[in-house]
Amino acid sequence: MTFDETAIDWLAGILAEAAQAEIMPRFRRLGDGDIRQKTSAADLVTEADVNAERLITARLRDRYPSAMVVGEEACSEDPALLDGLGDAELAFTVDPVDGTFNFASGVPLFGVMLAVVVRGETVAGIIHDPVGKDWLIAARGAGSHIRHAHGSLEKVHVAAPVPISQMTGAVSWQYLDEPERSRLARNQTKALSQFAYRCAAHEYRLLASGHAHFVVYNKLMPWDHLPGVLIHQEAGGHAARIDGSAYLPSHVDGGLLVAPDQDSWQELRRELWAE
């Protein structure tokens, strides 16, 4: 079965279903046995992540039995599930709880993210906010919108370009090696202010809706970035890997710089990496 853009409403619905059934009932109610470390004390998985991903995956496979489904928790158990994402006829990436550290800490900054990939191109992205009960949605060529809980649709646009001294942004330096880590941390002070949500879902929302200007990421897992990059691009922004090449679903390295436009991207690339 091929993907049709009319299915976006259905996809948004299953993210909300997973949030209502598996995520929000566990928010601020997790027991000691419901949280586990993956790679570090800052890289967690909870029963909400696992069960929400199972629900979303089951719904996707019922409707699209031949599609590839790439879920964060499934790939944590079997990294080989990522193989072929860039070539699949139809694939979905799923981040069941983006911002798990926040979720496990009782902080209401987390989201559910899904991207649709067709033959190596991201064609749709959805970020659901289980707390605010709304969605940030984009389809390639159709712009980006917030679908509010009360049903209205609001078009969003990235912030107007400004000099770096007037920008607000985030540099996710925890996955960078030295000396790049210290260089970017130092040069970020050239910006007006910073944010650090520990949640790509809300960071992309901030950028796509024009409330901040840039982010730098180094770790590129598709479930973390494919939805947000498409939403940001459809809101008028520019994103590319650090070497200037296009970010594709098959990429898991090379870093990512997201900015209001290409000129801003060039200024940020020059100033943030300056010696």
Side-chain angles (χ1 to χ4, degrees):
M1 186 174 184
T2 59
F3 177 75
D4 188 309
E5 287 182 10
T6 59
I8 290 179
D9 288 345
W10 177 82
L11 292 171
I14 65 170
L15 300 191
E17 179 189 357
Q20 182 176 3
E22 303 292 353
I23 298 172
M24 292 309 295
R26 292 179 168 91
F27 183 48
R28 295 178 176 166
R29 296 181 179 89
L30 293 169
D32 291 340
D34 295 332
I35 307 171
R36 303 184 301 280
Q37 288 189 20
K38 291 198 283 190
T39 62
S40 72
D43 185 14
L44 305 177
V45 60
T46 74
E47 287 302 298
D49 298 75
V50 173
N51 286 287
E53 182 171 306
R54 285 175 180 162
L55 188 156
I56 295 167
T57 299
R59 297 288 188 271
L60 290 171
R61 287 182 172 153
D62 283 346
R63 181 160 177 159
Y64 301 99
S66 61
M68 181 179 184
V69 181
V70 179
E72 177 180 9
E73 305 314 327
C75 286
S76 180
E77 297 295 324
D78 182 8
L81 292 174
L82 269 172
D83 297 344
L85 177 60
D87 303 315
E89 283 294 312
L90 175 62
F92 299 91
T93 66
V94 179
D95 191 340
V97 182
D98 182 72
T100 299
F101 183 89
N102 293 341
F103 177 80
S105 304
V107 176
L109 281 174
F110 52 89
V112 190
M113 301 204 291
L114 179 144
V116 184
V117 180
V118 176
R119 293 183 292 278
E121 181 181 35
T122 309
V123 299
I126 305 172
I127 297 175
H128 176 54
D129 178 1
V131 177
K133 296 183 179 179
D134 60 11
W135 300 260
L136 192 55
I137 297 174
R140 185 163 294 281
S144 294
H145 300 80
I146 292 176
R147 180 173 296 155
H148 294 282
H150 50 71
S152 68
L153 203 63
E154 176 188 355
K155 188 173 178 62
V156 295
H157 199 278
V158 299
V162 293
I164 189 172
S165 62
Q166 298 302 309
M167 291 187 191
T168 295
V171 176
S172 183
W173 47 257
Q174 60 265 39
Y175 296 109
L176 292 167
D177 295 326
E178 294 292 2
E180 189 177 24
R181 178 174 177 149
S182 293
R183 182 187 308 137
L184 266 72
R186 180 185 70 246
N187 286 331
Q188 189 180 3
T189 61
K190 296 176 181 178
L192 178 67
S193 61
Q194 65 173 334
F195 61 89
Y197 286 174
R198 301 187 73 153
C199 176
H202 279 280
E203 290 172 351
Y204 279 116
R205 180 184 180 123
L206 200 67
L207 267 66
S209 55
H211 299 297
H213 299 87
F214 72 90
V215 288
V216 177
Y217 295 111
N218 190 55
K219 185 180 179 183
L220 300 186
M221 303 313 294
W223 47 80
D224 285 326
H225 299 292
L226 293 183
V229 167
L230 178 65
I231 288 167
H232 182 263
Q233 289 174 333
E234 287 295 321
H238 180 75
R241 292 203 294 174
I242 305 307
D243 65 2
S245 62
Y247 169 57
L248 302 175
S250 57
H251 292 151
V252 294
D253 57 18
L256 186 65
L257 173 57
V258 183
D261 64 5
Q262 192 163 7
D263 288 343
S264 300
W265 191 98
Q266 295 289 352
E267 181 184 6
L268 286 161
R269 177 65 178 85
R270 181 178 63 254
E271 295 295 336
L272 291 175
W273 277 264
E275 296 290 347

